[in-house]
Amino acid sequence: MWFLQTTLDNPKALKPTKVEGSLDTHLEWWDTGVLYVKASERSKSKSLNKSNQRVVISSGIHGNETAPIEIVDKLVEDILTGDLKVAVDCLFIIGNPPAVIQESRFVEENLNRLFSGKHASSSNQESDRAAALESYIERFFNLGSEQLYHYDLHTAIRGSELEKFAVYPYLHDRSVSDFQLGFLEKCGIQAVLLSNQPSGTFSYFSSKHFRAHAFTIELGKVRRFGENEMAKFTEIDAGLRNLISGLESFQDQPQEIQVFEVIEEVIKQTDNFKLHIEPDAKNFTEFQAGALLASDTNYEYRTKRDGERFVFPISNVPCGQRAMLVVAPANTVNN
């Protein structure tokens, strides 16, 4: 637990320091929770995908989402011992160390709403961290590469009918990558949600500003350290290890992964906002047309067609922020 423990021992900052690694790997702390791993040219030459890749694997953007932190911590541990060979340059991130220590989603403000410059309108430790993380992503990606990737690992507040799913940031002028969907499917991801507008998420920042292949990946339900069933994450762990070690060629097309589109972003406008779904209802619960999902002053959302589902419902957000997404299978939205 060297990566995690060192981060938690230095939650506010960590002096940039080089780390003793294996002969083929250079490691360097850029800040607390930010570790740069550079593969040797000899290792890169053995990669199946001969292009020069740069990979960001982030976790802990929400401090109580512990399973992704444990996954990343183990990857770094195996790199240090030489059990995991590195053939691509990587940046490993634990996003919000003070919130991890507090076992809370955030300390003052939701970090995953503050990227793409949105931190400029706030003044707290999360806004400072968002600005710092943006600078590290820029520094890392600008070191040069033909292909850029960012996988931001999370777990959700609620359980999910589709336990593992990814959010594909709004792509603007770019198209969905079938090869990325194929990779996610190999990682055990059951569904992908296509975003319909810009956002302040970490993955959107990498996608929009650097044209990286980037995703927010939900791996199950929030649990405390020691309570995660790590056997449930063998597929995502194996997929990331193949990517790090240069064994992923991104040549597989998706076979069964389900694709959804956002049809409504429900915004909390006033303190009268209310969700009309059961507290224990799971993400991707399916509804018939006409079901009341949310209401507010002069507003209500009722499903417009059979098969609509909700994702990320949370009522105790500040007014003006998203309280829920309503989604539907992509092949039904425009029919």
Side-chain angles (χ1 to χ4, degrees):
M1 297 182 66
W2 170 80
F3 181 44
L4 173 59
Q5 194 59 57
T6 304
T7 296
L8 299 186
D9 288 345
N10 304 271
K12 297 294 186 180
L14 185 64
K15 183 179 180 180
T17 309
K18 293 182 180 180
V19 180
E20 187 77 26
S22 65
L23 291 176
D24 287 337
T25 308
H26 166 85
L27 293 89
E28 184 177 324
W29 286 103
W30 283 0
D31 197 351
T32 188
V34 182
L35 185 69
Y36 170 51
V37 179
K38 179 176 175 57
S40 69
E41 294 304 318
R42 185 167 72 94
S43 295
K44 290 180 181 180
S45 69
K46 298 178 181 179
S47 172
L48 285 181
N49 193 329
K50 298 303 181 182
S51 62
N52 183 25
Q53 300 175 341
R54 308 190 74 76
V55 177
V56 177
I57 302 175
S58 55
S59 65
I61 295 298
H62 296 132
N64 61 342
E65 299 176 6
T66 60
I69 299 172
E70 293 188 66
I71 292 169
V72 171
D73 187 59
K74 180 60 175 171
L75 293 174
V76 172
E77 178 183 324
D78 289 351
I79 289 170
L80 273 175
T81 61
D83 292 335
L84 176 57
K85 304 301 181 184
V86 179
V88 301
D89 292 347
C90 300
L91 192 67
F92 294 97
I93 294 173
I94 297 175
N96 197 340
V100 177
I101 291 172
Q102 284 191 187
E103 300 182 1
S104 61
R105 186 170 172 83
F106 52 84
V107 177
E108 297 176 87
E109 189 171 0
N110 187 346
L111 179 58
N112 213 29
R113 298 290 182 271
L114 294 174
F115 293 99
S116 295
K118 295 182 183 297
H119 51 77
S121 61
S122 297
S123 180
N124 53 54
Q125 58 183 306
E126 267 93 9
S127 61
D128 291 345
R129 183 64 167 175
L133 291 178
E134 286 184 356
S135 72
Y136 298 132
I137 294 292
E138 181 177 15
R139 175 181 173 186
F140 178 65
F141 282 157
N142 283 346
L143 289 173
S145 178
E146 297 173 25
Q147 295 186 20
L148 306 176
Y149 305 93
H150 182 181
Y151 303 100
D152 185 32
L153 310 183
H154 289 254
T155 50
I157 296 172
R158 290 176 180 249
S160 181
E161 295 291 345
L162 299 168
E163 185 178 43
K164 298 179 178 68
F165 63 96
V167 180
Y168 211 137
Y170 183 56
L171 291 171
H172 295 272
D173 61 334
R174 293 186 292 152
S175 300
V176 169
S177 167
D178 283 344
F179 295 128
Q180 283 295 300
L181 297 189
F183 171 67
L184 292 175
E185 188 169 63
K186 286 195 295 184
C187 289
I189 305 305
Q190 300 160 280
V192 172
L193 173 57
L194 306 179
S195 298
N196 64 344
Q197 61 185 341
S199 72
T201 65
F202 202 15
S203 62
Y204 175 78
F205 172 74
S206 293
S207 175
K208 172 62 167 63
H209 296 276
F210 301 97
R211 302 181 73 84
H213 293 291
F215 300 87
T216 302
I217 299 178
E218 302 286 347
L219 295 173
K221 198 171 184 297
V222 167
R223 289 181 172 84
R224 300 177 67 181
F225 284 118
E227 297 179 358
N228 295 300
E229 298 178 53
M230 300 309 291
K232 289 187 174 183
F233 310 116
T234 53
E235 290 172 301
I236 184 71
D237 180 72
L240 294 175
R241 287 172 184 270
N242 283 339
L243 179 57
I244 292 166
S245 57
L247 300 178
E248 176 55 57
S249 60
F250 293 111
Q251 294 298 314
D252 295 307
Q253 296 275 352
Q255 300 298 317
E256 299 180 358
I257 198 167
Q258 299 183 57
V259 180
F260 293 85
E261 292 184 16
V262 175
I263 56 176
E264 180 86 1
E265 182 178 34
V266 177
I267 304 298
K268 179 179 178 178
Q269 301 290 353
T270 75
D271 289 332
N272 294 324
F273 179 83
K274 184 178 180 180
L275 290 172
H276 296 272
I277 56 179
E278 295 299 322
D280 58 351
K282 296 180 178 181
N283 286 315
F284 290 100
T285 295
E286 189 171 348
F287 291 89
Q288 298 299 306
L292 177 63
L293 300 187
S295 65
D296 205 336
T297 302
N298 301 319
Y299 170 85
E300 67 176 23
Y301 185 80
R302 292 183 180 273
T303 52
K304 299 176 176 66
R305 61 178 70 76
D306 292 345
E308 290 186 19
R309 313 176 188 211
F310 67 79
V311 181
F312 302 136
I314 179 170
S315 58
N316 62 339
V317 296
C319 293
Q321 288 195 10
R322 186 190 78 198
M324 181 171 62
L325 292 177
V326 183
V327 306
N331 61 355
T332 69
V333 170
N334 297 313
N335 291 345

